[in-house]
Amino acid sequence: MSLYRDQGVVLRTIKLGEADRIVTILTQATGKVRAVAKGIRKTGSRFGARLEPTSHVALQCYRGRELDVVTQVETIDAFRQLREHYGSLTHAIAMLEAVDQVAQEREAAIRLYLLLVRALRALDSAPRDPSVVLDAFLLKLMALEGYRPALAECAGCGAKGQPRCFSIARGGGLCERCRTGEESTLDADTMPLLTALLGDDLDTTAGAEPAPASRREAGALVKGYVEYHLDRRLRAYPLVAR
Ligand SMILES: [Zn+2]
């Protein structure tokens, strides 16, 4: 077995046996890894509370065939504000779930890793509306995965100009000629909001407080869009109060 060092964000943990946990981590260099933290559930464990979901850590592991074994952990960022604020934590958990679904084991995903770290920092900065940070994160994640929605042009014919209706299945806004009539016309602020969430950096988004109607509409579209194109339910998402 070989020893390696990396840094990463803990996505989830599950109990193993009497005292251990299997920790799923999105690492900077190796992509998603699953590693056993031995004795972590015993009082006085040398790992303490450093391997909780959302923890950003530097770690040393033995490489195993299926599961690695954690030997050392140091906290880089505990995201304490985020953890103590239930609203922000639920949004963070929804982010971790989406990352766990798209990340492949031991396949480097540096841009996904950096996006996740930036998004957790934005949630930790006491954003005005954490749900907006989550939606921005999910749109950026979809763009990274090759599903960037068409927002400034028609997803059907490519005609320039911001559409007023949106088709999840067709991948974005539709112009008046391409719409089938099934798509409802959006609130005037919804497409500009989606455009800002996709394009702005997450620090800017953390200071945003969009109008409730367009925010709700955008949230429903983002959730539907992610679930449709990833073909996975976002189970943690409905917990988010809107
Ligand atoms: Zn069109």
Side-chain angles (χ1 to χ4, degrees):
M1 290 207 296
S2 65
L3 199 60
Y4 68 91
R5 287 173 183 279
D6 206 336
Q7 50 177 270
V9 174
V10 177
L11 302 179
R12 65 192 169 100
T13 75
I14 53 170
K15 290 177 183 174
L16 178 70
E18 289 290 302
D20 308 340
R21 276 185 191 280
I22 297 174
V23 186
T24 304
I25 304 169
L26 182 72
T27 66
Q28 186 171 42
T30 321
K32 187 165 78 173
V33 298
R34 294 193 308 138
V36 179
K38 288 187 175 159
I40 191 169
R41 283 155 59 212
K42 289 184 183 157
T43 48
S45 158
R46 64 206 159 104
F47 299 125
R50 277 168 284 172
L51 287 172
E52 298 292 324
T54 73
S55 294
H56 185 205
V57 294
L59 71 166
Q60 181 176 285
C61 297
Y62 275 113
R63 172 86 182 247
R65 225 158 36 134
E66 279 181 31
L67 293 172
D68 297 354
V69 178
V70 183
T71 58
Q72 277 180 32
V73 185
E74 284 164 43
T75 301
I76 296 173
D77 202 333
F79 298 121
R80 208 153 270 135
Q81 283 217 62
L82 178 165
R83 292 251 197 107
E84 285 165 7
H85 188 277
Y86 179 74
S88 288
L89 183 60
T90 54
H91 292 78
I93 298 297
M95 288 180 184
L96 302 181
E97 180 192 33
V99 168
D100 194 17
Q101 288 182 351
V102 300
Q104 304 293 316
E105 285 196 29
R106 287 178 181 159
E107 207 172 276
I110 179 83
R111 293 172 73 197
L112 181 62
Y113 167 80
L114 293 173
L115 174 63
L116 177 60
V117 170
R118 278 197 292 265
L120 291 173
R121 284 196 187 126
L123 277 184
D124 195 50
S125 70
R128 284 172 182 271
D129 181 346
S131 74
V132 179
V133 177
L134 171 60
D135 288 342
F137 166 81
L138 289 171
L139 284 172
K140 292 173 194 298
L141 176 140
M142 292 306 283
L144 266 187
E145 294 297 309
Y147 300 102
R148 173 182 285 270
L151 300 175
E153 70 282 337
C154 171
C157 68
K160 295 281 176 217
Q162 195 153 62
R164 276 294 296 278
C165 68
F166 190 96
S167 165
I168 286 171
R170 294 178 69 181
L174 290 179
C175 74
E176 288 304 313
R177 280 189 307 174
C178 291
R179 70 187 295 185
T180 63
E182 278 174 31
E183 309 87 10
S184 55
T185 300
L186 301 175
D187 185 278
D189 294 330
T190 299
M191 285 299 262
L193 172 58
L194 289 170
T195 304
L197 295 181
L198 179 61
D200 287 353
D201 63 57
L202 287 159
D203 293 334
T204 306
T205 304
E209 203 170 13
S214 52
R215 193 196 67 155
R216 264 196 307 276
E217 211 168 54
L221 287 176
V222 169
K223 178 172 185 283
Y225 189 82
V226 174
E227 290 187 334
Y228 181 87
H229 291 284
L230 296 184
D231 199 16
R232 301 290 275 275
R233 289 290 311 280
L234 292 177
R235 283 170 302 155
Y237 194 94
L239 296 173
V240 170
R242 278 171 194 279

